Amino acid sequence: MIIGFIGAGKVGCTLAKYFSLCGMRIAGFYSRSYEHAKEASDFTHSQAYTSLADLVNDCDCLLVTVSDSQIATVWQELCLLPIANKWIGHCSGLLTSHIFSLHNIVHPFAFSLHPLYAIYDRFDCYKALSGVSFTLEANENVIHQLQTFLTPLKNPLAILPASKKVLYHAACVMLSNQVIALVQIGIDLLSQCGLNVEFSEQAWRLLFLENAKNICEVGVIDALTGPVERGDIETIKHHIMTMPVELKIIYQQLSAILLNISRTKHPSKDYRQLELELLP
Ligand SMILES: NC(=O)c1ccc[n+]([C@@H]2O[C@H](COP(=O)([O-])OP(=O)(O)OC[C@H]3O[C@@H](n4cnc5c(N)ncnc54)[C@H](OP(=O)(O)O)[C@@H]3O)[C@@H](O)[C@H]2O)c1
């Protein structure tokens, strides 16, 4: 199986490098800009293509690693080429293989393959990919063939139904991307306390990292600490009163979720008064 990449961005470069290190065969890259295709091909010791038709000709499988909004455009271009027997995949967490449809018929060898990793760089992230989990979504008639084709990767791989992809992607965004927003809120609040920047940076990093480590090691329930778990109503009232107005709602909503976890952890504890304060 020879794979060609359409889109020489972060995911294209990272997967091509990782796949080839795992022993899979990579033909090379076609991209919007030849310069990026050339950089990616140099990085993966493969070929840079100036013509999509040539890439299609040289491959059994095309991995469309362009941004989500461009996948349909690339598919329209692919439909003009001899792709009847080719595997065609993309890496979107949100979109399904059904995007590769012509006259409402999904391409029989269409799939989506999503790495659960924030790939932030074109040339560095492949080093971290060996433990990364992937989800695979495709027509059930071809899933087994695809799994066989992906065995050199040795990564955890789960099959995901097309109907669950939106929810699945929302979960990934909350677990990874939206954490960045919470970190930014914390950093901004610390900076309003007049603390030295160097001190704050060191302090929040350890607080954040140790907490993340605990969650991973002992789970959400056992890692839980803080005023909601303790039922510390006065502390929470002070926070809500003092907080910038635009943050009050998010603070209350996140605390309401912590309250549910606290109830699971301490079923006999009475959190009713706290609930009234959080959900007025
Ligand atoms: N980054 C992540 O953390 C991550 C994780 C999992 C899944 N994904 C998915 O992976 C896919 C790619 O994301 P990315 O982060 O790698 O995006 P990216 O870094 O922006 O790369 C997209 C690449 O596609 C090329 N491209 C755009 N439109 C094109 C077109 N019409 N024809 C040919 N090439 C085109 C661009 O080309 P030029 O550079 O040549 O202009 C660019 O190199 C998306 O479906 C995304 O949802 C991303």
Side-chain angles (χ1 to χ4, degrees), residues 26-147:
I26 306 300
F29 286 85
Y30 172 80
S31 200
R32 193 168 42 194
S33 82
Y34 178 74
E35 190 195 341
H36 287 166
K38 181 76 178 73
E39 285 169 4
S41 69
D42 289 346
F43 177 59
T44 52
H45 309 295
S46 63
Q47 200 176 325
Y49 288 81
T50 51
S51 143
L52 183 57
D54 289 346
L55 180 73
V56 167
N57 193 42
D58 286 356
C59 298
D60 312 298
C61 173
L62 284 314
L63 205 47
V64 183
T65 50
V66 301
S67 47
D68 284 16
S69 62
Q70 286 296 304
I71 294 173
T73 309
V74 169
W75 169 240
Q76 279 165 14
E77 291 172 40
L78 283 170
C79 284
L80 305 173
L81 298 168
I83 50 151
N85 298 317
K86 314 268 181 188
W87 293 96
I88 316 267
H90 65 70
C91 292
S92 168
L94 177 81
L95 301 170
T96 70
S97 58
H98 301 183
I99 196 162
F100 298 134
S101 297
L102 191 60
H103 308 308
N104 286 329
I105 297 173
V106 182
H107 182 71
F109 304 113
F111 66 95
S112 64
L113 177 71
H114 180 246
L116 281 106
Y117 191 72
I119 300 176
Y120 57 86
D121 180 84
R122 294 170 79 205
F123 302 128
D124 209 39
C125 289
Y126 75 94
K127 295 175 197 155
L129 238 59
S130 62
V132 167
S133 301
F134 285 74
T135 53
L136 178 64
E137 171 276 319
N139 178 330
E140 61 182 31
N141 298 330
V142 298
I143 281 273
H144 185 66
Q145 260 177 288
L146 275 167
Q147 280 175 297

Side-chain angles (χ1 to χ4, degrees), residues 217-239:
E217 281 173 5
V218 301
V220 162
I221 290 178
D222 287 337
L224 183 66
T225 61
V228 174
E229 189 210 2
R230 291 192 292 273
D232 207 341
I233 295 173
E234 288 309 311
T235 304
I236 292 166
K237 271 190 192 164
H238 273 97
H239 288 170

